[in-house]
Amino acid sequence: MKILLHACCGPCSLEPVRLLRAAGHDLTIAYMNSNIAPADEYARRLSTLRAWAAGEQLDVLEGAYDPAAWEACAGRVGTAEGDPARRKARCRACYRLRFEEASALAAEQGFDALGTTLSVSPYQYTDVIREELERAASAAGVQPLFEDYRPFYDEATHRSREMGMYRQNYCGCRFSDVEAATERAERKAQRAAAREAEAAAHAEERAAAETARAAKKAERAAYDAKQARKRAVLKALRDQERDEG
């Protein structure tokens, strides 16, 4: 099939492209990601994707970068603020906007199907990705081609690192940037707390061992003193016997 593959970045494209090409499909990549902020982050991800795609002889079609349109649909849902349902609703709106744009392009340019690389990440809402991809593609008269690529996430991570690809540390939108930074800070604090707890436990172990050594040393000293007293008494008795004899 002639497939338009919606891609969020270079690293997430590696395994989907490999698998789809192995299945014999003709691929073109669509970079339609108005969610990505700030603009220089958007450009950096696109540059990384284009550089890799050129080596793979893949065309990359760029959609309009329209952060205002994203803010109007997904941005208005706002931050999760500890509410998973709200975060999921924001991501759904984000997927919907991007898939609708990609579906329209696929229909306009005569592609047989629309796929996406978003399902590589275990941090995304895979079920929602599938629902929104199928909804948008079907509405545009294009076949939806959903694949759950999560089993290949580790391989994609390994390959992209080996290739020296730029790897972003948040999904893309301004909310995910803050959320990811918060999660990283929490993990860092947890690791620091774990190290402190481990150090404290080791300190207690060392203190207990030192106490045990000191007790054993004192016991040995007491024993040696007792033996010394015995020897002194025996010597005194021997001396006395010698003097009397």
Side-chain angles (χ1 to χ4, degrees), residues 160-182:
S160 61
R161 283 176 175 164
E162 274 197 335
M163 296 166 67
M165 271 185 165
Y166 167 62
R167 292 181 50 79
Q168 60 275 4
N169 58 9
Y170 66 102
C171 176
C173 75
R174 58 189 178 87
F175 298 109
S176 68
D177 189 11
V178 173
E179 291 164 0
T182 300

Side-chain angles (χ1 to χ4, degrees), residues 3-245:
I3 298 172
L4 183 65
L5 182 65
H6 169 267
C8 55
C9 64
C12 287
S13 301
L14 297 179
E15 286 300 289
V17 166
R18 180 183 67 81
L19 294 165
L20 291 171
R21 276 186 159 176
H25 299 301
D26 178 16
L27 302 179
T28 297
I29 290 178
Y31 188 75
M32 297 181 162
N33 302 299
S34 293
N35 60 307
I36 298 176
D40 59 351
E41 175 70 17
Y42 172 92
R44 187 174 186 183
R45 296 189 194 191
L46 175 57
S47 176
T48 299
L49 176 63
R50 284 194 185 281
W52 167 76
E56 295 291 321
Q57 297 183 324
L58 279 169
D59 290 332
V60 177
L61 304 179
E62 181 187 5
Y65 180 51
D66 190 355
W70 185 88
E71 290 289 350
C73 68
R76 64 182 178 80
V77 178
T79 183
E81 296 179 350
D83 182 357
R86 192 173 182 187
R87 182 176 183 177
K88 192 172 186 178
R90 186 185 73 223
C91 289
R92 180 183 290 277
C94 181
Y95 302 150
R96 179 169 294 184
L97 173 67
R98 295 148 79 192
F99 291 160
E100 285 180 347
E101 292 176 351
S103 294
L105 179 63
E108 177 187 322
Q109 298 202 9
F111 286 91
D112 300 313
L114 175 69
T116 183
T117 67
L118 289 177
S119 60
V120 170
S121 172
Y123 306 105
Q124 299 283 349
Y125 296 104
T126 310
D127 56 336
V128 181
I129 290 171
R130 179 170 197 157
E131 291 170 6
E132 292 302 325
L133 178 70
E134 292 178 347
R135 188 198 66 79
S138 298
V142 177
Q143 180 180 335
L145 185 65
F146 173 83
E147 296 286 347
D148 184 351
Y149 297 114
R150 285 176 298 177
F152 303 95
Y153 176 76
D154 289 343
E155 180 61 21
T157 299
H158 174 72
R159 287 181 61 199
S160 61
R161 283 176 175 164
E162 274 197 335
M163 296 166 67
M165 271 185 165
Y166 167 62
R167 292 181 50 79
Q168 60 275 4
N169 58 9
Y170 66 102
C171 176
C173 75
R174 58 189 178 87
F175 298 109
S176 68
D177 189 11
V178 173
E179 291 164 0
T182 300
E183 290 169 2
R184 288 194 297 273
E186 290 174 351
R187 288 195 297 270
K188 184 177 180 180
Q190 289 169 356
R191 288 194 296 269
R195 286 195 297 269
E196 289 178 3
E198 184 178 4
H202 288 167
E204 290 178 2
E205 290 174 1
R206 289 193 296 271
E210 185 60 33
T211 298
R213 284 194 296 270
K216 189 172 183 179
K217 184 176 181 181
E219 183 182 348
R220 180 66 187 183
Y223 174 79
D224 290 344
K226 183 178 180 180
Q227 293 301 109
R229 286 194 299 272
K230 283 183 179 180
R231 288 192 296 271
V233 169
L234 290 173
K235 183 177 184 300
L237 288 174
R238 285 194 300 269
D239 291 345
Q240 183 180 355
E241 289 174 354
R242 187 175 60 252
D243 293 341
E244 290 176 352

